[in-house]
Amino acid sequence: MSQAITAQAEINIDGCAREPIHIPGSIQPHGYLVGVEEAGLTISQLSANCAELFKAAVQDLLGRSLFDFLAPASRELLQKAVGAANLQRVNPLKLNFAHQEQTVWEVVVQRSQGLLLLEFEPSRGGRNPAFLSIYQQIHAAIEEIGAAKDLAELYRVTVEWVREISGYQRVMIYEFDAEWNGRVVAEVCAPHQEPFLGLHYPASDIPAQARRLYSVNWLRSIPNVHYEPSPIVPGRVQNNGSDASLDLSTCSLRSVSPVHIQYLKNMGVGASTSISVIKDGILWGLIALHHDQPAYLSYEVRQGLEFIGRIFSIQHAAKQKLENVDYKKQLRAQEAELLTKMKAESTFLHGLLRGEPNFLSLAQGCCGGAILRRGKWFLLGVTPPAEFLTKLVDWLRINTGEKPLFHTTSLAKRLPEAESFSNCASGIVSISIPEIEPCYVLWFKSEVIQTVNWGGNPNKAVQMGEGGASLSPRHSFELWQETVRLTSLPWQPEEIEAIEELRRSIIEVDLENQVRAAMDSNAELEQFASVIAHDLKEPLRGIHFFSDFLLEDLQGSLDEGSQNYLEEIRRLSGKAKVLIADLYEYAKVGRIDMSFGEVDLNYVVQDVALRLSSYFKEKNAHLHISSPLPRVYCDKVRVGELFANLFTNSAKYNQQTEKVIEVGVNLASTDKVDVNGVDQVPIFYVRDNGIGIAPENRQRVFEMFQRLHTEHEYEGGTGVGLAIVKRIVDRHGGQIWIESTPGQGSTFYFTLRPAKKPKWQPALEQTVQ
């Protein structure tokens, strides 16, 4: 819809956008609307044209039961249908009236505002193909749509089949851009019709409230643009003390805005049907059908076209991902290299700026970039001066709210001062990094002057006539060209996704660096652990709890995007809780007083195995104690943690169908330890048949936050477990090392302070499952 309302005193350019099109108070008269109370089917509202349907005055029908007018078989059918929880499964009903049983009516039933709404349309079987014929056409269409090798073929096949099935003269695929302007990307039309392929249409043609309805209803049909609306009687719904206009959002008979009707008339359209294209819960575009003359579509045909719209939406998303898969792989490789560089440097900043690739590699066509950290700007390539960048960050902090990522192709439209820097900052992507001082990473693209082909002058809305000035739909839809400035080339969805992932990597590396720096000082470590224990655990627990609560309470009412965001919040808060717990455990092992005593390690291992028995069963892991273990002088609780971490590690990083974990002890002579005359130090080992560890990583695995795999492999992890193991060994004055063959397994060896008098348990070999 274009902006279009006659103004008597003042022209209101936003009037169309505020029009309540979901409660028009009338319907299109090619059908009839009856609103009944579910108990007894008492008629409480109906369209004025129902007088001809019921052969009675409208006022005389109010308060009567719909059953009074139906043929006996139809009463039974309707009674059974309204008892269904999902009315979509019974629509449409084929009903007959008692006074004209030879006439069949197609009836769609739905619930709204406590009422049952019934939409009656005459069965048009004589004018439209039989159901079997429609099914054959839909089946053939779906096969060709599914077989399309690329987007171009997908567009062509879809518009051709939609025209074939509907009989309409013009069929277009209409794509929205980020600002909701539309562009015709595919079209088939009659020889006498002017083609619209490639033309752009302003966002005002389909305002926000119309887009919302297109997101709810996959199909919208106006079979006769020149219809006279039939008002609903009475105009308000009285139900449970409420008084409101009847909401017709999901009714196919809903009357259309006069503005949109005039728009279609100006285009010379006699009938119009729109099929929504929805991707990831967002309205991507429309399949628009136009016909010069009135054209009615049966319920079966409309359902078939809606099905094509749904299949097209799925296929379009799949084809688009396939066409961009190579670029996506390239970006992932660049991102992985950046992550490696950031981890190798003392600060993530150097990893992003030094050498190749740098952070600009994540978006094609960037002229420059900038990073703000700790009050200082670091610039790369061609960028605006630091003075303007500081103002830009202030604007971002105020205008982007809590959103960590912002992007636009026309910064000057939002921030007029940016016009002076259009040569290097027309397009921008920004990410914020959570630090004490503002921290931002910015990507810039320069202006690209473009010529846009519009379907008529999009700005020519105010018309002068005999009644004075009025705001009306455009009368001309012929090619109208506009030179567009202050706009960059677009940011690709794959680039935005890669930049979002980079932000997560920066936060992870930054946190790891901060923790390492804190751990250089015991005092700083204790302070850090205290903050974690008291200040962070509870808020994270609350975030996790409330995200669980929202997901459960709003189940079924969230769109896919909101559902994914909430699930991501829950996942990240859970991950943070585990990380904080591991950090606290690591810090605790380093600072608490150890409780040393003579401990029988056989009982320690058996206790750990019992606690892990469910996990072993889940992993099909078997713990084998190859020889009796000695009594040693150690901290029983901490050594239990040591074994638990090693056993869990052996079961987790293992791809064997049957995972085998062996624990045992060797005696080695050494002149380094001599306690009460004993010169033999027990060397304990935990051996597995897992994936193994490469030589270059055998020291690295004992460092904090060192994961050898992505967080999506082997159940993820924080990279803290083996660091805790090493710290426990260190606190006992022992050593730990690894022998491993990649692909065959690993053996972790460690020593603890030996017992004053080694005492060996006469236990037999045991296997714990």
Side-chain angles (χ1 to χ4, degrees), residues 7 14 16 21 34 75 101 219 295 327 331 338 344 349 447 462 465 476 494 576 588 594 638 656 672 727 732:
D14 296 319
C16 180
I21 59 177
V34 181
R75 291 178 203 164
E101 290 194 43
L219 186 137
Y327 186 41
L331 290 175
L338 285 171
L349 194 66
E447 174 188 43
V462 178
S476 173
E494 296 77 19
K588 185 171 67 174
M594 303 287 279
R638 300 305 154 207
Q656 302 296 332
K672 294 181 179 179
R727 175 158 281 203
H732 282 79

Side-chain angles (χ1 to χ4, degrees), residues 17-38:
R18 292 198 301 267
E19 186 181 4
I21 59 177
H22 63 298
I23 48 172
S26 61
I27 67 164
Q28 301 178 65
H30 63 276
Y32 308 88
L33 180 71
V34 181
V36 300
E37 297 172 10
E38 195 149 352

Side-chain angles (χ1 to χ4, degrees), residues 360 365-369 380-383 423-427 443-446:
L360 297 185
C366 285
C367 59
L380 191 64
V382 181
T383 71
N423 65 318
C424 59
S426 280
W443 288 257
F444 298 109
K445 284 187 179 182
S446 59

